[in-house]
């Protein structure tokens, strides 16, 4: 059962992108990949400093540090959907992120602990993780603002 859930977390979110226009996916894929890098680095720090242990959510056996189904599946795609619906409305974006981060840490994560998808071992408080996630959300919002500005600039004559 655990393997089915993990594979679903990896594959189903990607399938949901068929409901978006390709231009939208192309526009927000860089910020989603940037968030994936940030998330992977945070999992490496958590592993190194013993903040939490996600080895129980290993899908391939070699993904003991960062849970591949969550970081490279569900979370990556969620970033695209959130930006699709909220970008250019900062307060809506921030509100949605706070709600989703709280929902994940206070409802979804405890359920995953009971099911055995993640370990209950943690040396960092839940509120600290939520604050970290909101900090990441602010960083990627700024990144997307920069990204949009870069793509709006006219191309110089040398690149035509």
């Amino acid at each position: 059962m655990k393997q089915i859930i993990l594979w679903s977390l990896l594959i189903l979110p990607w399938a949901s992108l068929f409901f978006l226009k390709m231009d939208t996916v192309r526009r927000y894929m860089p910020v989603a990949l940037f968030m994936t890098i940030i998330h992977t680095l945070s999992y490496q720090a958590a592993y190194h400093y013993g903040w939490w242990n996600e080895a129980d959510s290993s899908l391939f056996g070699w993904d003991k540090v960062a849970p591949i189904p969550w970081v490279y599946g569900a979370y990556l795609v969620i970033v695209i959907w959130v930006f699709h619906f909220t970008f250019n409305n900062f307060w809506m974006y921030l509100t949605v992120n706070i709600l989703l981060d709280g929902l994940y840490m206070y409802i979804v994560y405890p359920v995953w602990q009971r099911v055995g998808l993640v370990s209950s071992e943690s040396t960092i408080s839940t509120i600290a993780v939520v604050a970290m996630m909101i900090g990441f959300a602010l960083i990627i919002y700024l990144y997307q603002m920069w990204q949009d500005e870069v793509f709006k600039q006219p191309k110089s004559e040398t690149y035509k």
Side-chain angles (χ1 to χ4, degrees), residues 2 6 54-60 63 66-69 116-119:
K2 189 161 90 169
L6 292 173
E54 301 270 326
D56 295 343
S57 58
S58 173
L59 185 60
F60 300 106
D63 56 338
I68 300 298
L117 286 176
V118 295
S119 173

Side-chain angles (χ1 to χ4, degrees), residues 130-147:
V130 171
M132 185 171 57
M133 293 166 75
I134 292 168
F136 294 162
L138 294 173
I139 291 168
I140 66 171
Y141 192 86
L142 291 172
Y143 175 84
Q144 184 60 38
M145 287 174 54
W146 171 76
Q147 190 80 0

Side-chain angles (χ1 to χ4, degrees), residues 10-62:
L10 182 63
I11 295 170
L12 292 178
W14 282 96
S16 77
L17 294 179
F18 287 113
F19 296 105
L20 289 174
K21 292 179 182 174
M22 188 52 71
D23 288 342
T24 302
V25 175
R26 202 174 297 121
R27 178 181 182 191
Y28 297 122
M29 185 58 77
V31 74
L33 292 172
F34 181 57
M35 185 61 207
T36 300
I37 292 168
I38 292 171
H39 220 164
T40 301
L41 291 173
S42 71
Y43 272 100
Q44 288 177 342
Y47 179 79
H48 178 75
Y49 293 111
W51 294 339
W52 63 77
N53 181 4
E54 301 270 326
D56 295 343
S57 58
S58 173
L59 185 60
F60 300 106
W62 48 263

